[in-house]
Amino acid sequence: MASTTVNFNVPDSLRCITKSSPWTVPFAAGGISGVAAALVGQPFDTIKVRMQTGFKFAGAHPAGAFDCLRMTMKHEGPNALFKGLGPQLGSQFLATALLFGIQDKFLSCFSGLTGGSRNDLNLISSAGFCAGGVLAVITCPMELIKVGIQSAADIPVTRVRPSAAAVAAKPSSLELAVAVVRKVRAEHGLRGLYTGVGLTSLRCAVGNAAFFSTFELCSRLDKSQNPGVKRSHSKCALFGAIAGTSYWLGCYPIDLLKSQIQNKVVQDAETLKLSKASAQPMPWNVVAR
């Protein structure tokens, strides 16, 4: 068994549930960890997307990340930092819940095909690369909706039988998500929700290859320096943080392009109509498809 495999201690009261499928506990644990990561990281993600997509406050671009945070708080309040949380929760729950199981299946497959060990760092990295690429099919539509909500200055929201109070109130995240889906579908059909799926797949593949290989290297280094000592939870968290940093260092330029392309679909309908009718499509459109 590979050293990157996560072992879960299951209470006796839950063993009857987990006997039916070896995926049950990893799926649940991965999903919960993905939700926790989304809740903690959403404010940072909102600032990231706004910086990537050229968001303006009262016609002015923020000077940097801290300025974007300050202007968001000033103009929209702290709740704006959690815009797009719903799609992000769904995306992270599914992606993280499935990621480790799919990576383990790819690792077993590669090990069988090559005759190599499951502890081979190249195989671990390759399995992470493939697992991340596959999961983009699930996460791409939800990420497009999230980006659209986070970078939207004004999305038309249609309310059914709105009351006077509802008209005065700001649209909820659910209303914004529905409005983004309707806007994209009206221009491009359901296929439009998969705009940028190629870049999303590449980002997840490169990022997860870096994540799994970095976590494995940290684990091996710790094992060599502390042989026979059980790894503490704090060390696992530290290694996860280091691996997560390597994820974004490896794929951030790809994520930048992805966010800009997906934002353009939501925000720039007129430009998209022209590029769709043109015999020479825009360069970003070629990359996205």
Side-chain angles (χ1 to χ4, degrees):
M1 186 173 289
S3 55
T4 49
T5 300
V6 181
N7 295 317
F8 299 94
N9 295 319
V10 185
D12 292 336
S13 59
L14 297 180
R15 290 189 183 279
C16 59
I17 301 176
T18 61
K19 283 180 180 179
S20 59
S21 172
W23 283 69
T24 306
V25 173
F27 183 90
I32 293 171
S33 66
V35 169
L39 289 172
V40 173
Q42 185 65 15
F44 301 98
D45 187 75
T46 299
I47 299 301
K48 172 183 73 71
V49 169
R50 290 187 166 190
M51 292 298 298
Q52 289 175 332
T53 56
F55 190 87
K56 292 182 179 180
F57 297 90
H61 289 289
F66 287 106
D67 192 38
C68 184
L69 173 61
R70 180 186 65 81
M71 296 175 78
T72 298
M73 296 287 286
K74 177 182 177 181
H75 291 278
E76 301 175 73
N79 289 342
L81 296 174
F82 290 90
K83 278 188 171 182
L85 180 60
Q88 180 76 333
L89 288 174
S91 173
Q92 287 297 310
F93 178 86
L94 289 174
T96 314
L98 295 172
L99 175 63
F100 293 97
I102 294 176
Q103 190 268 352
D104 185 72
K105 295 297 181 184
F106 272 116
L107 183 58
S108 298
C109 179
F110 293 160
S111 178
L113 289 174
T114 62
S117 169
R118 285 173 55 91
N119 291 310
D120 188 316
L121 191 61
N122 290 327
L123 294 184
I124 292 172
S125 179
S126 299
F129 184 94
C130 293
V134 168
L135 287 174
V137 177
I138 299 174
T139 60
C140 183
M142 288 181 279
E143 289 205 21
L144 182 141
I145 296 169
K146 174 185 71 71
V147 168
I149 294 173
Q150 290 173 326
S151 60
D154 183 22
I155 298 178
V157 175
T158 302
R159 288 189 170 103
V160 179
R161 297 179 182 177
S163 63
V167 171
K170 293 182 178 179
S172 66
S173 294
L174 178 60
E175 288 175 321
L176 287 172
V178 172
V180 169
V181 172
R182 284 177 175 171
K183 188 174 182 180
V184 173
R185 191 177 63 177
E187 293 292 334
H188 306 282
L190 291 177
R191 182 185 176 188
L193 295 173
Y194 280 89
T195 298
V197 66
L199 287 174
T200 304
S201 180
L202 182 60
R203 184 205 66 183
C204 292
V206 172
N208 279 295
F211 177 89
F212 280 101
S213 57
T214 301
F215 191 90
E216 176 67 13
L217 286 172
C218 290
S219 300
R220 292 183 182 183
L221 180 62
D222 177 64
K223 190 174 182 180
S224 65
Q225 294 183 346
N226 303 284
V229 179
K230 185 178 180 180
R231 189 185 310 152
S232 65
H233 294 303
S234 59
K235 277 189 177 180
C236 288
L238 175 61
F239 296 166
I242 295 172
T245 301
S246 71
Y247 177 107
W248 285 108
L249 287 175
C251 70
Y252 187 81
I254 305 171
D255 183 71
L256 171 64
L257 293 175
K258 177 200 74 74
S259 295
Q260 291 180 343
I261 290 168
Q262 291 181 330
N263 176 63
K264 203 169 186 67
V265 169
V266 179
Q267 302 297 329
D268 200 2
E270 293 303 318
T271 301
L272 287 171
K273 286 180 181 179
L274 292 175
S275 66
K276 195 173 183 181
S278 173
Q280 296 181 345
M282 295 169 66
W284 62 262
N285 198 29
V286 175
V287 175
R289 302 300 181 190

